[in-house]
Amino acid sequence: MDACIRKAKKWQKEMKRLRTILLDCGLTEEVKWRQPCYTLEKHVVVLISGFKEYCALAFFKGALLKDASRILVAPGPNSQTVRQIRFTSEREIVEMEPVLKTYLQEAVTAEKAGLKVTKNPKLIIPQELQKKWEAVPELKTAFAALTPGRQRAYVLYFSAAKQSKTRESRIEKYTRRILNGKGMSD
């Protein structure tokens, strides 16, 4: 675990402080995705991440938390489940420790109860992709065989383009990857 924290040169003090708080909450410490990860009965509850501008506690089922202090942030515009609490100094962590422990206890309680985040599973497939499926039926089959996360990533990326021509170009660019069963960044 120390090796993970040493790699995050900019946020070592902050990550050590967060680690101390997390270990006091009775979670099991592991390394997953090259990051300090804290689990309950093999289920990820929270992890510590270091970024350029901040370090963060990322709650895997953060969307379930009440967020009474209004400090949770979605890591991206399409995040459905994970929520972060971001820090830019050790002092912030020290000041927020009682609040952090409350959030951690709530996350542990949700995990013990087996609560699940209700995701928005309905994807709106762009017309350009539907047309491509008509022209290349095996593409539709290959797309359906992808994991839901990979399908979602492709649909969001294709749909983000404002012009139909750009959507068509993106679909064309990734057709081979989809046919090979690959995600956008595999």
Side-chain angles (χ1 to χ4, degrees), residues 154 157-158 170-178 184:
Y154 278 121
Y157 178 67
F158 298 155
R170 288 179 178 187
I171 292 165
E172 191 61 40
K173 179 179 177 182
Y174 284 96
T175 294
R176 179 63 36 212
R177 292 187 69 75
I178 295 169
M184 290 184 65

Side-chain angles (χ1 to χ4, degrees), residues 12 28 39 48 66 74 78 86 90 98 108 121 128 149 152 160-161 174 183:
Q12 286 184 20
T28 303
T39 62
I48 301 172
K66 293 177 187 140
N78 300 311
R86 297 175 178 175
E90 185 180 15
V108 167
E128 295 81 2
R152 180 174 162 74
Y174 284 96

Side-chain angles (χ1 to χ4, degrees), residues 1-12:
M1 199 57 56
D2 291 328
C4 288
I5 292 174
R6 276 194 303 275
K7 286 181 183 178
K9 294 177 176 116
K10 186 173 182 179
W11 303 109
Q12 286 184 20

Side-chain angles (χ1 to χ4, degrees), residues 48-62:
I48 301 172
S49 299
F51 298 92
K52 286 182 185 178
E53 303 297 322
Y54 58 87
C55 72
L57 278 183
F59 292 87
F60 261 49
K61 296 181 180 177

Side-chain angles (χ1 to χ4, degrees), residues 8 26 93 100 135:
I93 297 166
L100 296 177

